[in-house]
Amino acid sequence: MAGIEIRAAAHYVPEKVLDNHEISTWVDTSDEWIQKRTGIKERRVSTGENTSDMATSVAKDLLEKANLDPSLVDLVLVTTVTGDYSSPSCACIVQKAIGAENAAAFDINAACSGFVYGLSVAQKYLLSGLYKNVLLIGSEVLSKFVDWTDRATSILFGDGAGGVLLSSNKDKTFFEKLRSRGDKAITFGRQVVVNPFVKDEREFGHIKVDGREVFDFAVKSVSENISELLEESNVAFEDVDYIIPHQANGRIVEAIAKKLKIDLSKFYMNIEKFGNTSAASIPIALSEMFAKNKIKKGQKIVLAGFGGGLTWGSILLEV
């Protein structure tokens, strides 16, 4: 399948560092307890930046790195579950902020699988030949929806944004395998019907996660998904240079590596610094890897997402 070219990668995280010790001052937990169960040491939390603000910072950085005039951007995609508004989309706010006057713009909601789903969408637009330059950004302010008194969830999530500037390249490898299960939803931010004819006093929902169920689902589904992807694309595990998973929980990634019988060193992880940033986690990791020169031209990488919906999927691409 015709591929895509990553012309630039960038990320943005808020300045506020919230470490485990600070969280333990208001919930019954400890740095040792959190690290042992999640691999997280700290995360970034917004002190005022909204989802579109962070996405706009990433977009401007991408344009500067690629030396691309905003008028040449054809499409702005933002993957998020924490947009500023129901409407306008976060992507439209970014489109205005960067002056991409000729670009279409819309959001994608696939929770923590959002960036993987977004890559699939972007590839189809580029494959059409009508779109030349696509901005794909994952941006989340999950702190909006965290119950900060809940030990099970308040320790997990962080805020941040990451993204890539994409163009088409028919010579690059690109394969995908996306899945979903609506009967096993992870929920947060529930918006109930309240109008003159309906009274519903249930609160606007915080994030609710069944940790054990998510762990079992992720390990089984993601490992199978990656195996099927590589089998169908006729690429061997040893020919993959890196696997970049959604940064949900360090123990999940370790279990996936064990199930696939792949050395953990092939999986890039930064969860200890940022926590779970949902749709932003994979592009933040990608941006870090490019900045550290860990990814080189011609390498094959697998991006693997999983999260609410339930959604999951993986993409094999050539850098």
Side-chain angles (χ1 to χ4, degrees):
M1 190 179 294
I4 53 180
E5 182 93 34
I6 299 177
R7 295 181 55 189
H11 71 279
Y12 173 90
V13 291
E15 290 187 9
K16 169 61 181 176
V17 177
L18 176 61
D19 64 25
N20 295 339
H21 295 291
E22 187 170 354
I23 288 182
S24 69
T25 64
W26 66 72
V27 294
D28 182 18
T29 189
S30 68
D31 176 59
E32 181 183 11
W33 190 91
I34 296 170
Q35 286 200 51
K36 182 178 180 180
R37 287 160 178 78
T38 69
I40 300 169
K41 296 181 180 179
E42 61 188 35
R43 70 287 293 147
R44 300 299 182 95
V45 177
S46 170
T47 57
E49 308 103 316
N50 213 333
T51 307
S52 66
D53 298 322
M54 296 194 301
T56 296
S57 293
V58 171
K60 289 179 177 178
D61 197 2
L62 291 170
L63 293 175
E64 183 178 350
K65 286 180 175 179
N67 193 27
L68 183 70
D69 190 277
S71 65
L72 297 178
V73 175
D74 302 301
L75 178 63
V76 178
L77 299 174
V78 175
T79 66
T80 186
V81 292
T82 60
D84 301 17
Y85 309 97
S86 296
S87 183
S89 69
C90 192
C92 279
I93 299 173
V94 172
Q95 182 261 349
K96 176 185 176 182
I98 65 175
E101 58 190 30
N102 297 313
F106 62 90
D107 288 353
I108 297 171
N109 180 342
C112 303
S113 306
F115 190 76
V116 172
Y117 272 61
L119 272 176
S120 173
V121 172
Q123 189 257 358
K124 307 305 179 295
Y125 274 89
L126 291 167
L127 192 61
S128 74
L130 300 176
Y131 296 77
K132 307 297 183 185
N133 299 299
V134 176
L135 287 175
L136 171 62
I137 301 166
S139 185
E140 302 284 15
V141 182
L142 291 161
S143 57
K144 297 176 186 178
F145 297 104
V146 170
D147 179 354
W148 292 99
T149 66
D150 178 16
R151 184 176 74 163
T153 56
S154 62
I155 64 173
L156 297 174
F157 299 100
D159 300 334
V164 290
L165 172 63
L166 302 169
S167 297
S168 63
N169 187 329
K170 64 180 181 179
D171 296 324
K172 296 285 188 181
T173 300
F174 186 98
F175 290 93
E176 66 177 55
K177 196 169 189 68
L178 306 183
R179 292 290 182 267
S180 65
R181 278 198 66 180
D183 61 318
K184 294 287 186 180
I186 298 170
T187 63
F188 67 91
R190 183 174 187 270
Q191 300 184 50
V192 298
V193 178
V194 179
N195 61 38
F197 310 101
V198 179
K199 292 184 179 180
D200 194 324
E201 297 180 354
R202 286 172 290 179
E203 67 174 295
F204 188 82
H206 292 298
I207 301 173
K208 301 293 183 184
V209 178
D210 183 331
R212 171 47 60 183
E213 184 174 5
V214 170
F215 185 95
D216 292 342
F217 145 72
V219 173
K220 181 177 186 297
S221 299
V222 176
S223 57
E224 289 178 353
N225 190 261
I226 293 173
S227 295
E228 291 168 2
L229 171 76
L230 295 181
E231 183 179 351
E232 292 173 11
S233 59
N234 199 29
V235 172
F237 276 107
E238 53 266 29
D239 293 329
V240 174
D241 294 283
Y242 284 104
I243 298 174
I244 307 172
H246 165 51
Q247 309 289 309
N249 184 308
R251 290 176 59 206
I252 290 177
V253 178
E254 291 169 4
I256 290 171
K258 184 177 181 180
K259 195 171 184 64
L260 290 173
K261 298 179 180 178
I262 299 176
D263 193 279
L264 187 61
S265 63
K266 187 164 279 195
F267 289 76
Y268 185 82
M269 294 175 63
N270 61 6
I271 191 170
E272 72 279 359
K273 296 189 297 182
F274 302 119
N276 181 344
T277 55
S278 189
S281 76
I282 291 176
I284 289 174
L286 262 178
S287 175
E288 278 198 330
M289 293 179 77
F290 274 107
K292 296 175 181 178
N293 293 316
K294 285 185 171 292
I295 298 180
K296 298 176 176 61
K297 189 173 182 180
Q299 288 184 328
K300 289 183 175 65
I301 60 176
V302 170
L303 311 179
F306 53 93
L310 294 171
T311 58
W312 69 100
S314 51
I315 287 178
L316 168 70
L317 59 86
E318 182 182 345
V319 180

